[in-house]
Amino acid sequence: MLSVLRNRTYRRLFTAQAVALAGTGLATVALGLLAYDIAGPDASAVLGTALAIKMVTYVFVGPLIGALADRVPRRTLMVGADLARAAVAPALPFVSEVWQVYVLVFLLQTASAAFTPVFQATIPEVLPAEADYTRALSMSRLAYDLESLFSPALATALLTLVSYDWLFAGTAAGFAASAALVASTVRARPVPAPGEPAGRPRGRSARAKAALGAHLFRATPRLRALLALDLAVAAAGAIVFVDTVTLVRDHFGRPADAVSLALAAYGAGSMLTASALPRLLRRFADRALMLPAAFALPVVLTGVAVVTAASPAGWSWAALLAGWAALGAACSAVLTPAGRVIRRSTADADLPTAFAAQFSLSHGCWLLTYPLAGLLASTAGLPVTALVLGAVSLAGAVAAARAWPARDPSRLEHVHPDLPPGHPHLAGARPAADGWRHGHHYVIDRHHRRWPADDLTAVSHGR
């Protein structure tokens, strides 16, 4: 898997991602301490609101910024986002009011919403070979998991030497280093739209680009399935990220370091799966791995309900750690190949728009499940929380299985009833009673507005 780091451009981009994630992890720890200093006992409410602002920003602001990706050079956009984050982070220690925290968090997450989808869309262009891109997706998953394990440990070590204010300086340094690494990469060439000469702008407004992203997911069966899978993962992940503290401290009565152990079990399961996926994806299709992993989530959550309903004991604590590791493994098996599905389902020119849409829609799922996990845990108890979230996860898995055809070839025969003879897109097409018929790698784009029917009947396409 590490062989992909031989590519100089990808190596720098991956290092930029890793150091930026390390900085983000330091900010997460420091923000919690800052919230406690400002709000005292209400720190949880402050952090909850900050998390909600983050998700709202990703859901509503992300697509609009992502729509600008073909109007601004990608390297410029990513460097600008990193520099904006590096400028905002050092201001956090100087706030004295809760509303100031919210404003700065909004600015910080707006920059992140600009950086992440463009970064995701750039990697398949840097690594066009599918095997290399698969390895890069696993490396990215590992980077996220290592951030959740490494950053808290680094923050703990730093706090023995300096006050938490300095952690924000570390965050700024991480973003500045990321900006320098991205700036040193080779500039990605703009990808022209089909039928347009290179270098000509695509002519879509930012609003139209954002709408295109939603249309891509609505019109493409496997992308609709991907959104349902995101919901399944969000339901399972919410109980881990929202309820682990309550579960460990109140139900099991264990010390604070046991919380880190439980979260580390989740991260370890995710990392082991991400490491194995490049080999597995050489033997199995994305659907064959992602759907079984999604159906495993409600099974594990049912087990969590049983564990939390029982009296605390040594076996139940071990079972919880095993359950968290299993959830991490299953979530990683669903999330890691997602980039492959998007790449397969989108024209190169629309990759930034598609990744921005997935970034927004997937975080919309988390925006739903985060408060649900918190509300249920506080009102109905942990066993009911696990069962309800398990039901949501099962619904997502079933919806994905129904939306994603078992037979899902990339090349589809279809008919163009509206394109005139001699149109460049019809090269090699053969006449049919209802238009012009041909087959090729099929994606939703300016010539293909709808998915062709299974019986190959004519579908309406645009000029």
Side-chain angles (χ1 to χ4, degrees), residues 166-458:
W166 286 97
L167 296 184
F168 291 113
T171 299
F175 291 140
S178 175
L181 286 163
V182 172
S184 67
T185 61
V186 177
R187 180 178 301 176
R189 297 178 181 176
V191 182
E196 293 180 0
R200 179 177 296 176
R202 301 201 60 187
R204 289 194 183 106
S205 67
R207 179 179 297 179
K209 291 282 287 181
L212 172 63
H215 177 66
L216 288 173
F217 274 77
R218 184 173 61 252
T220 307
R222 70 179 75 94
L223 291 184
R224 290 201 304 271
L226 183 59
L227 179 57
L229 291 172
D230 285 331
L231 177 61
V233 168
I239 196 170
V240 174
F241 298 121
V242 174
D243 296 326
T244 294
V245 174
T246 302
L247 181 57
V248 172
R249 299 303 304 273
D250 293 345
H251 179 74
F252 285 100
R254 291 183 174 263
D257 57 358
V259 176
S260 298
L261 179 61
L263 293 175
Y266 177 89
S270 179
M271 291 172 65
L272 289 173
T273 301
S275 300
L277 278 174
R279 294 188 298 275
L280 292 173
L281 288 169
R282 287 199 295 268
R283 298 180 56 191
F284 302 100
D286 297 325
R287 185 184 188 275
L289 286 177
M290 296 171 75
L291 286 182
F295 277 103
L297 294 173
V299 175
V300 177
L301 288 176
T302 301
V304 171
V306 173
V307 169
T308 55
S311 299
W315 72 267
S316 59
W317 172 244
L320 177 75
L321 294 180
W324 259 220
L327 287 177
C331 288
S332 181
V334 174
L335 293 175
T336 304
R340 288 165 48 104
V341 178
I342 295 173
R343 183 191 191 191
R344 178 188 175 198
S345 308
T346 311
D348 288 344
D350 292 328
L351 275 176
T353 301
F355 276 105
Q358 196 269 342
F359 185 77
S360 173
L361 294 170
S362 63
H363 282 88
C365 296
W366 290 96
L367 186 59
L368 171 67
T369 58
Y370 270 148
L372 181 61
L375 178 64
L376 287 173
S378 62
T379 58
L382 291 168
V384 173
T385 302
L387 289 175
V388 172
L389 290 174
V392 174
S393 188
L394 178 60
V398 170
R402 291 174 60 87
W404 197 340
R407 181 182 177 274
D408 186 31
S410 292
R411 185 182 188 278
L412 293 177
E413 286 279 333
H414 56 283
V415 172
H416 290 274
D418 300 329
L419 293 181
H423 190 282
H425 182 69
L426 296 179
R430 56 191 184 276
D434 44 5
W436 295 88
R437 183 184 297 274
H438 66 171
H440 56 75
H441 175 70
Y442 195 95
V443 297
I444 299 298
D445 58 19
R446 62 197 295 258
H447 298 306
H448 311 87
R449 301 296 184 183
R450 290 163 44 190
W451 205 254
D454 290 337
D455 61 357
L456 302 182
T457 56

Side-chain angles (χ1 to χ4, degrees), residues 15-104:
T15 305
Q17 180 191 30
V19 297
L21 285 173
T24 300
L26 293 179
T28 300
V29 175
L31 190 60
L33 297 172
L34 174 64
Y36 188 80
D37 270 0
I38 294 176
D42 295 328
S44 294
V46 172
L47 287 175
T49 303
L51 183 61
I53 291 173
K54 172 182 176 179
M55 293 301 166
V56 169
T57 302
Y58 285 176
V59 171
F60 295 105
V61 179
L64 296 178
I65 295 178
L68 301 176
D70 65 344
R71 299 175 180 273
V72 179
R74 292 186 189 177
R75 185 173 64 175
T76 301
L77 186 58
M78 288 190 287
V79 170
D82 267 337
L83 293 178
R85 295 191 289 186
V88 170
L92 280 164
F94 299 100
V95 304
S96 56
E97 301 291 338
V98 171
W99 68 266
Q100 296 169 344
V101 174
Y102 296 157
V103 170
L104 291 178

